[in-house]
């Protein structure tokens, strides 16, 4: 009986030692780990991360549905053929409150013809994309921090970290995310992060011929987008979900989904 | 306002398909089987003694396969372990690794302690490689004296007490994964975890009944009509609770008649008419409820009772699988515009197709067959005591 007890004690000691060794392997930083952090290409870093907080404004009364923005986004970001980081919808509302909505090929090729039946009382185009929410459900559900918010308020996906579970796609209420079939990871609009961190505008804003799409910095006191946000009656998509989007719409319509 | 059908351009695919249907089905069976075991250990239902060890082995067999559908679903399964190394604790999925590991540990310990006397006896009566195998399983400790077994029994009781909430958490949490998504009106309801948990319990019990009857029929388990009656009673009890929860969920949607009701009513009366209304409710819920209720209020002959129990259990398993389908697939059959819908037709041979789903559902049963070859479901110590 005593032998058995000793055996058990030996066994438990061995288990404890193995557990401690395992913990040591997992927790103690390996040699070179610290240096590796500093090997990030310095040109990719923005030293003034905290000096910006970006915001996007879409003036619906200006959009003509030309699709320039969708095409520019596709080219700039090499977006997968079947999916869209930004798209344009056309709304036609009749006098009987029938709403006809369409977005053929995401508005990439513009819009032709009239899909509504009855007397159209108002028609307008609605550009859409990731809303870069402050209280974002997509980064909340990402189990490995692959979806995250940059200090400037941009929601990004680390494709080297993403496990492709698609939980973020399910969580996004705006249909802005998709799984890129080429990389099997989540993909979405980044407000052309590679451009804005170099002081350029997102591709879609650059090519918009009617100044429908505006991009600015809330922390820049000279940026007139601050007046636009605070002075105009700006609205957001699905405000009831409390996602606090940073993509604002001017001239919003109750028919917009 | 009346909308013509319109889906957002990215809402074209059903990303969570058969693997995500299979995953909660398998975890549900684990939770259900463990609840049956806990009824014996924790709540002292001695009439359930004949299925106690079977329940543990069944739980273990399915537990070992629970992660496989998820791994097959992931775009990058090689990064799956990041969920535990660099978890985002705000994410519901991130908890999975920890809850799963904790419950697996509790289950492994309970199974090992329950089978320790058998393992030690097998060690003493074997030689050569077999002896080394049983010695490894015994973890080198061969003390099955009265005092040691009394201590084991105490630990098993404690593990059951811990394991029951762990099993409920494991599956209630699966419901939470869906119920916490405010983007999806078909999923977003606080009742979702309860519905998942109760459906898990009935599916686990139903499967346990079928396996138990099969083992009795093949002479490998001790036949007890009292045990079957007790299981049928608990099956009916949890079925009633499940029906009420699921019914209340739909009633809430209908009565609130919010923006979501347009989507939900279209799902129920159109897209999911066959799978939800006809198969899940019309057949899956109605038949077992009627049969089990009838069995409870009338004195049936043993053979008829067995036949009714088999039918009820098989239909309940089918019902729970359909419920998983209707929740998972149904929740993706509409666009986030809430005015556009799409159909889903799974393929047989694709990565997440019908064949892989069938294989992953059958794999735990094969593992169970191997476990049953190694371990007896009869508790010889209890029988000797009896």
């Amino acid at each position: 009986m005593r032998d058995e007890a000793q055996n058990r004690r030996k066994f438990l000691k061995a288990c404890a030692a193995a557990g401690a060794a395992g913990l040591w392997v997992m927790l103690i930083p390996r040699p070179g780990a610290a240096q590796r952090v500093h090997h990030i290409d310095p040109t990719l870093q923005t030293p003034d991360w905290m000096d910006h907080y970006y915001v996007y404004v879409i003036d619906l009364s200006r959009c003509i549905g030309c699709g320039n923005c969708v095409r520019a986004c596709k080219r700039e970001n090499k977006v997968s053929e079947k999916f869209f980081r930004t798209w344009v919808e056309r709304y036609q509302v009749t006098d009987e409150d029938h709403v006809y909505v369409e977005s053929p090929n995401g508005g990439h090729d513009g819009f032709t013809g009239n899909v509504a039946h009855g007397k159209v009382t108002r028609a307008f185009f609605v550009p859409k994309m990731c809303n870069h929410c402050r209280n974002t459900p997509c980064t909340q559900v990402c189990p490995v921090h692959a979806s995250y918010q940059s200090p400037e308020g941009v929601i990004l996906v680390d494709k080297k970290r993403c496990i492709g579970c698609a939980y973020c796609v399910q969580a996004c209420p705006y249909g802005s995310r998709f799984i890129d079939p080429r990389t099997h990871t989540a993909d979405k609009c980044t407000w052309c992060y590679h451009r804005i961190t170099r002081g350029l505008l997102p591709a879609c804003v650059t090519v918009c011929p009617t100044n429908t799409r505006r991009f600015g910095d809330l922390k820049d006191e000279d940026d007139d987008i601050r007046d636009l946000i605070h002075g105009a009656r700006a609205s957001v998509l699905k405000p009831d979900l409390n996602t606090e989007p940073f993509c604002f719409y001017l001239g919003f319509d109750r028919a917009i989904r | 306002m009346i909308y013509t059908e319109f889906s957002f351009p990215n809402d074209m695919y059903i990303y969570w398909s058969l693997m995500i249907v299979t995953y909660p089905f398998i975890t549900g069976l684990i939770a259900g089987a463990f609840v049956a075991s806990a009824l014996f250990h924790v709540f002292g239902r001695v009439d359930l003694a004949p299925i106690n060890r079977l329940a543990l082995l069944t739980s273990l067999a399915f537990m070992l396969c629970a992660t496989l559908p998820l791994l097959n679903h992931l775009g990058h399964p090689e990064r799956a372990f990041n969920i535990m190394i660099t978890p985002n604790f705000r994410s519901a999925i991130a908890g999975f690794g920890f809850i799963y590991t904790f419950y697996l540990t509790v289950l492994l310990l309970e199974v090992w302690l329950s089978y320790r006397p058998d393992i030690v006896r097998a060690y003493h009566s074997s030689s050569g490689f077999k002896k080394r195998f049983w010695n490894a399983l015994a973890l080198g400790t061969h003390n099955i004296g009265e005092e040691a077994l009394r201590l084991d029994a105490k630990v098993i009781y404690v593990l059951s007490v811990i394991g029951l909430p762990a099993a409920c958490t494991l599956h209630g949490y699966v419901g939470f994964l869906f119920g916490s998504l405010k983007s999806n009106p078909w999923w977003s309801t606080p009742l979702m975890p309860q519905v998942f948990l109760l459906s898990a319990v009935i599916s686990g019990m139903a499967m346990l009944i079928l396996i138990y009857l099969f083992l009795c029929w093949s002479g490998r388990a001790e036949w007890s009509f009292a045990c079957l009656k007790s299981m049928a009673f608990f099956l009916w009890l949890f079925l009633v609770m499940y029906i009420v929860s699921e019914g209340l969920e739909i009633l809430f949607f209908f009565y609130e008649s919010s923006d979501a009701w347009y989507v939900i009513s279209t799902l129920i009366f159109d897209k999911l008419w066959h799978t939800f209304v006809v198969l899940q409710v019309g057949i899956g819920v109605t038949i077992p409820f009627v049969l089990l209720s009838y069995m409870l209020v009338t004195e049936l002959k043993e053979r008829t009772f067995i036949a009714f129990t088999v039918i009820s259990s098989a239909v309940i398993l089918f019902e729970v699988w359909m419920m998983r389908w209707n929740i998972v697939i149904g929740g993706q059959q509409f666009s986030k515009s809430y005015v556009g819908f799409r159909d889903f037709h799974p393929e047989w041979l694709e990565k997440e197709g019908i064949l892989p789903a069938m294989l992953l559902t059958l794999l735990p049963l094969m593992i169970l067959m191997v476990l049953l070859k190694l371990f007896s479901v009869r508790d010889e110590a209890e029988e000797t005591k009896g």
Side-chain angles (χ1 to χ4, degrees), chain A residues 126-142:
Chain A
V126 183
K128 285 191 180 170
M129 65 182 121
C130 169
N131 286 254
H132 296 271
C133 311
R134 185 176 280 179
N135 185 21
T136 165
C138 55
T139 62
Q140 181 188 24
V141 301
C142 177

Side-chain angles (χ1 to χ4, degrees), chain B residues 137-148:
Chain B
L137 279 190
L139 301 178
T141 175
H142 307 126
N143 179 7
I144 50 169
E146 221 170 272
E147 198 185 333

Side-chain angles (χ1 to χ4, degrees), chain B residues 164 240 305:
Chain B
L164 185 61
V240 170
F305 193 95

Side-chain angles (χ1 to χ4, degrees), chain A:
Chain A
M1 188 72 88
R2 188 171 295 162
D3 285 348
E4 286 290 348
Q6 277 175 352
N7 277 345
R8 191 172 285 181
R9 195 167 297 136
K10 262 188 197 168
F11 170 72
L12 288 174
K13 273 184 185 171
C15 284
L23 266 180
W24 183 81
V25 169
M26 280 178 73
L27 298 179
I28 305 294
R30 275 151 291 173
Q35 287 90 323
R36 274 200 297 278
V37 173
H38 298 294
H39 285 165
I40 297 169
D41 181 354
T43 60
L44 293 178
Q45 293 187 34
T46 48
D48 51 354
W49 267 337
M50 307 309 288
D51 296 342
H52 304 285
Y53 208 90
Y54 295 117
V55 64
Y56 203 105
V57 176
I58 296 170
D59 188 346
L60 294 177
S61 63
R62 288 169 176 265
C63 185
I64 56 171
C66 64
N68 256 2
C69 48
V70 183
R71 291 190 291 275
C73 174
K74 283 263 186 188
R75 274 197 306 272
E76 178 70 29
N77 297 297
K78 297 177 183 63
V79 181
S80 177
E81 196 187 342
K82 291 177 180 171
F83 296 96
F84 302 90
R85 285 190 176 191
T86 185
W87 69 95
V88 180
E89 297 165 4
R90 177 168 73 170
Y91 282 71
Q92 292 178 305
V93 188
T94 69
D95 55 353
E96 288 178 336
D97 255 2
H98 283 256
V99 185
Y100 295 82
V101 199
E102 59 164 349
S103 182
N105 196 22
H108 181 275
D109 310 315
F111 295 81
T112 52
N114 179 13
V115 292
H117 299 286
K119 187 183 172 192
V120 176
T121 51
R122 59 187 194 278
F124 47 88
F125 298 98
V126 183
K128 285 191 180 170
M129 65 182 121
C130 169
N131 286 254
H132 296 271
C133 311
R134 185 176 280 179
N135 185 21
T136 165
C138 55
T139 62
Q140 181 188 24
V141 301
C142 177
V144 292
H145 291 293
S147 283
Y148 63 100
Q149 187 168 36
S150 80
E152 309 101 318
V154 186
I155 307 298
L156 299 169
V157 178
D158 183 346
K159 296 202 167 204
K160 288 182 179 166
R161 208 173 187 72
C162 177
I163 59 172
C165 66
Y167 202 17
C168 58
V169 180
Q170 307 288 3
C172 173
Y174 307 105
S176 308
R177 284 176 171 252
F178 53 90
I179 297 293
D180 189 332
R182 298 165 304 183
T183 59
H184 306 292
T185 53
D187 194 32
K188 63 179 282 298
C189 160
T190 62
W191 278 345
C192 288
Y193 193 69
H194 58 290
R195 290 173 59 88
I196 60 174
T197 46
R198 286 170 170 78
L200 301 169
L201 288 170
C204 53
V205 177
T206 310
V207 299
C208 181
T210 58
N211 215 16
T212 298
R213 292 174 176 254
R214 309 271 298 274
F215 184 78
D217 183 355
L218 283 180
K219 287 190 176 173
D220 180 356
E221 288 187 6
D222 299 329
D223 197 329
D224 58 3
I225 208 155
R226 288 158 53 102
D227 299 332
L228 211 55
I229 296 292
H230 297 127
R233 292 180 189 172
S235 187
V236 293
L237 294 173
K238 301 187 181 183
D240 52 311
L241 294 181
N242 193 33
T243 56
E244 296 184 50
F246 261 60
C247 180
F248 294 91
Y249 286 87
L250 303 179
F252 201 76
D253 190 283
R254 65 193 164 95
I256 296 173
R257 305 300 293 182

Side-chain angles (χ1 to χ4, degrees), chain B residues 178-249:
Chain B
F178 292 95
S180 59
L181 288 186
K182 60 186 170 189
S183 59
N184 191 316
W186 183 233
W187 292 344
S188 179
T189 157
L191 279 173
M192 194 61 84
Q194 285 95 301
V195 171
F196 262 79
L197 185 55
L198 291 166
S199 63
V201 175
I202 57 170
S203 67
M205 286 192 149
M207 188 190 55
L208 211 52
I209 287 174
L210 291 178
I211 296 173
Y212 173 64
L213 286 173
F214 174 75
L215 290 180
C216 289
W217 174 74
S218 59
R220 292 163 66 188
E222 173 206 356
W223 166 243
S224 160
F225 187 48
C227 173
L228 186 69
K229 269 184 140 175
S230 192
M231 283 292 280
F233 168 73
F234 280 113
L235 191 60
W236 177 85
L237 176 68
F238 286 113
L239 180 67
V240 170
M241 288 158 73
Y242 162 69
I243 293 170
V244 170
S245 299
E246 178 97 59
L248 280 174
E249 185 187 297

